[in-house]
Amino acid sequence: PPLLCPWDPPVGCEPVSWTELRQHAKTFVDEGSPGVIYRPLFEQMRDALRWPKGAPKDKRLLHDDGEHQLLLPAFCQLLQQISPSGSLGDRGYSIVLRTFGCDLGRISAAIAAYSEGKHPLFPNATPLPRPVLWSGRYSPQD
């Protein structure tokens, strides 16, 4: 079927542009911001990503605050599944990481630490092949 581009917002809703929301990008769930109703969900997810108590810390796997995981555990589970000893067997694969800044090297370092078995939830991680990183951007001029 063809794409349906024009649509009417639900009754009682007002359209909001991304530009208007950008001012709340890092404070969306804070008091006075439009996403404050999602604060309990945010706290639940943040708590779920807390580094396991008493586990040795590898700073490559930690968020800037030193208390939360940088990689989602689900991503680490994916890496286990696609490794040669995982359920997908010896199939070739590529992982494309999309970031919104200059943190690709940091994410690559976290994946390397995971691969070395440094993540306490995945101590028996299968070593991954050395990644080949391509840095690029989407632009009509590229």
Side-chain angles (χ1 to χ4, degrees):
L3 283 176
L4 180 61
C5 294
W7 65 283
D8 294 321
V11 176
C13 293
E14 296 180 27
V16 177
S17 73
W18 173 247
T19 304
E20 293 174 53
L21 289 178
R22 180 167 262 150
Q23 67 182 347
H24 300 287
K26 296 188 179 194
T27 60
F28 186 70
V29 296
D30 292 350
E31 195 64 41
S33 293
V36 70
I37 63 170
Y38 298 109
R39 185 69 191 198
L41 180 60
F42 166 79
E43 290 173 356
Q44 179 184 358
M45 290 187 295
R46 183 191 58 201
D47 291 345
L49 291 174
R50 192 168 300 282
W51 193 258
K53 273 195 188 310
K57 294 181 176 182
D58 185 315
K59 68 179 184 177
R60 297 174 295 172
L61 289 163
L62 294 170
H63 193 271
D64 290 338
D65 65 7
E67 296 297 324
H68 293 89
Q69 300 175 53
L70 184 61
L71 300 176
L72 294 174
F75 180 70
C76 296
Q77 290 172 353
L78 168 73
L79 294 176
Q80 280 188 321
Q81 295 299 311
I82 63 176
S83 71
S85 63
S87 64
L88 294 181
D90 199 16
R91 295 176 57 179
Y93 63 90
S94 296
I95 298 174
V96 178
L97 301 171
R98 171 64 168 100
T99 69
F100 293 97
C102 56
D103 51 355
L104 184 58
R106 185 170 173 210
I107 301 299
S108 177
I111 293 171
Y114 156 84
S115 182
E116 295 165 13
K118 302 292 185 184
H119 197 298
L121 301 178
F122 305 93
N124 299 320
T126 302
L128 299 170
R130 180 172 165 79
V132 176
L133 296 178
W134 295 87
S135 180
R137 65 176 185 250
Y138 178 77
S139 171
Q141 289 87 22
D142 288 349

